[in-house]
């Protein structure tokens, strides 16, 4: 009886333990791991099938699992810095556990790997974009005129602009894209916002941070770029409008400019048929920008 009770308690405790799986999403990374003797898989497709089966089993048992992007190069560097043997499974587990808090990861919620892998890759791109933009902002240093930190001032201004853009948008689902092309690497950030029950906009904090950082970099460096909003609501046509980054401010695009941007093939320059039930329009008036304390040079 005592033995059965102990088994039951252990089963209950296992459901309380959150797990993390480090996933090798592509064939190249998979081949890089095959150099380790203790990595016993020899076929990437089979490996993915086994991972998916394990995820389904853990979910059926009531266990929560986080799937993290496993990068063999980062793992090798991690082991080198800590003096660990990379061919020990325990060290792969240790690295994977840290990925759950520091690296790109998504929760497993019953979705297929065909849906999970793109979401995980998107998360990795988003995190890399934010880190890169934040690094460039930090390197801007202090303004030679007023001594204000240019990056910090840019973030404050971008946050205020984003709040006004969200507040003036029509109710419904909002999809916002910011692109900045004047930096060493072109950057793109995406933000989604949906209405909560009380009418306020719900934002993903990680998306909002990345979006604000990219916008701040564009404004602070006066780089060319643009910002496009698409709003959707039941029973009404979608609305598409936007702004170009002009110097350190946003300049509204005309309806014709928005139409041209959406209905022209980027590579060939050929016209594309406009979508049905979509209005290409001028953006709402954001109102007079309130001056922020500090750097405005």
């Amino acid at each position: 009886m005592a033995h059965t009770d102990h088994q039951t308690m252990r089963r209950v405790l296992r459901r309380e333990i959150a797990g993390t799986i480090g996933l090798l999403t592509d064939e190249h990374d998979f081949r890089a791991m095959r150099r380790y003797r203790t990595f016993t898989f020899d076929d990437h497709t089979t490996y993915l099938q086994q991972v998916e089966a394990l995820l389904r089993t853990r979910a059926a048992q009531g266990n929560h699992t986080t799937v993290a992007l496993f990068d063999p190069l980062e793992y090798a560097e991690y082991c080198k810095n800590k003096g660990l043997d990379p061919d020990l499974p325990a060290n792969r587990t240790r690295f994977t556990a840290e990925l759950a808090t520091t690296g790109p990861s998504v929760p497993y919620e019953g979705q297929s790997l065909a849906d999970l892998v793109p979401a995980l890759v998107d998360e990795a791109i988003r995190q890399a974009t934010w880190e890169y933009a934040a690094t460039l902002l930090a390197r801007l240093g202090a303004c030679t005129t007023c001594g204000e930190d240019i990056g910090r001032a840019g973030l404050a201004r971008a946050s205020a602009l984003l709040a006004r853009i969200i507040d003036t948008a029509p109710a419904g689902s909002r999809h916002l894209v910011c692109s900045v092309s004047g930096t060493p690497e072109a950057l793109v950030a995406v933000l989604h916002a949906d209405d909560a029950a009380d009418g306020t906009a719900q934002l993903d904090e990680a998306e909002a941070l990345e979006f604000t950082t990219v916008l701040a970099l564009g404004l602070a460096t006066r780089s060319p770029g643009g910002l496009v909003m698409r709003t959707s609501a039941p029973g009404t046509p979608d609305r598409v409008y936007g702004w170009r980054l002009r110097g350190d401010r946003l300049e509204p695009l005309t309806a014709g400019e928005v139409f041209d941007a959406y209905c022209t093939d980027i590579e060939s320059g050929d016209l594309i048929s406009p979508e049905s039930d979509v209005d290409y329009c001028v953006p709402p008036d954001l109102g007079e920008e309130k001056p922020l304390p500090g750097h405005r040079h």
Side-chain angles (χ1 to χ4, degrees):
M1 182 68 177
H3 177 69
T4 302
D5 288 343
H6 288 162
Q7 285 184 322
T8 300
M9 285 188 287
R10 280 195 292 270
R11 281 197 298 270
V12 171
L13 284 173
R14 276 197 292 269
R15 290 198 295 269
E16 302 293 325
I17 300 174
T20 303
I21 292 178
L23 183 65
L24 298 161
T25 58
D26 62 58
E27 186 76 35
H28 179 268
D29 287 346
F30 180 82
R31 286 198 303 269
M33 289 302 294
R34 290 197 61 204
R35 62 179 169 169
Y36 300 122
R37 178 185 54 82
T38 56
F39 186 79
T40 57
F41 288 96
D42 56 13
D43 178 76
H44 189 230
T45 300
T46 302
Y47 160 81
L48 291 176
Q49 291 171 346
Q50 292 300 315
V51 169
E52 187 162 18
L54 176 60
L55 290 170
R56 287 198 301 265
T57 299
R58 286 182 53 83
Q61 294 171 345
N63 296 314
H64 173 79
T65 308
T66 297
V67 182
L69 188 66
F70 194 103
D71 186 323
L73 292 177
E74 289 185 5
Y75 172 63
E77 187 69 19
Y78 170 86
C79 290
K80 179 182 178 181
N81 292 338
K82 293 187 176 293
L84 302 173
D85 180 358
D87 206 2
L88 289 180
N91 291 333
R92 290 199 289 273
T93 301
R94 179 176 171 179
F95 174 72
T96 300
E98 293 193 17
L99 283 180
T101 56
T102 62
S105 62
V106 295
Y108 177 70
E109 297 173 330
Q111 67 272 50
S112 67
L113 279 192
D115 294 327
L116 188 148
V117 169
L120 184 57
V121 172
D122 285 347
E123 178 64 23
I125 293 172
R126 187 174 73 183
Q127 184 167 318
T129 298
W130 171 75
E131 290 174 352
Y132 181 68
T135 298
L136 293 181
L137 267 180
R139 289 177 180 172
L140 295 177
C143 175
T144 57
T145 301
C146 67
E148 181 78 10
D149 185 283
I150 297 174
R152 188 179 298 113
L155 283 171
R157 183 146 178 259
S159 296
L161 281 171
L162 178 58
R164 288 161 57 207
I165 289 168
I166 295 295
D167 289 344
T168 58
S173 176
R174 309 169 185 92
H175 180 83
L176 196 56
V177 179
C178 178
S179 60
V180 174
S181 58
T183 54
E185 295 288 338
L187 299 175
V188 177
V190 178
L191 180 64
H192 300 87
D194 294 308
D195 288 336
D198 60 0
T200 59
Q202 288 183 313
L203 303 177
D204 179 273
E205 291 185 7
E207 279 190 358
L209 177 59
E210 181 210 354
F211 191 95
T212 304
T213 305
V214 171
L215 177 58
L217 180 64
L219 295 171
T221 59
R222 298 172 179 258
S223 297
L227 194 154
V228 175
M229 168 77 86
R230 181 169 185 148
T231 64
S232 303
T236 63
D238 284 7
R239 297 185 65 189
V240 179
Y241 53 84
W243 300 260
R244 66 168 54 87
L245 271 64
R246 178 64 60 87
D248 65 345
R249 62 186 61 253
L250 297 180
E251 180 180 278
L253 295 173
T254 67
E257 288 172 327
V258 176
F259 179 89
D260 289 343
Y262 262 76
C263 302
T264 303
D265 186 275
I266 296 176
E267 295 183 359
S268 67
D270 295 336
L271 291 178
I272 302 173
S273 298
E275 296 181 65
S276 61
D277 215 24
V278 174
D279 287 342
Y280 303 95
C281 50
V282 296
D285 183 5
L286 297 180
E288 197 67 31
E289 185 175 357
K290 296 179 181 178
L292 295 173
H295 171 78
R296 281 308 304 273
H297 306 285

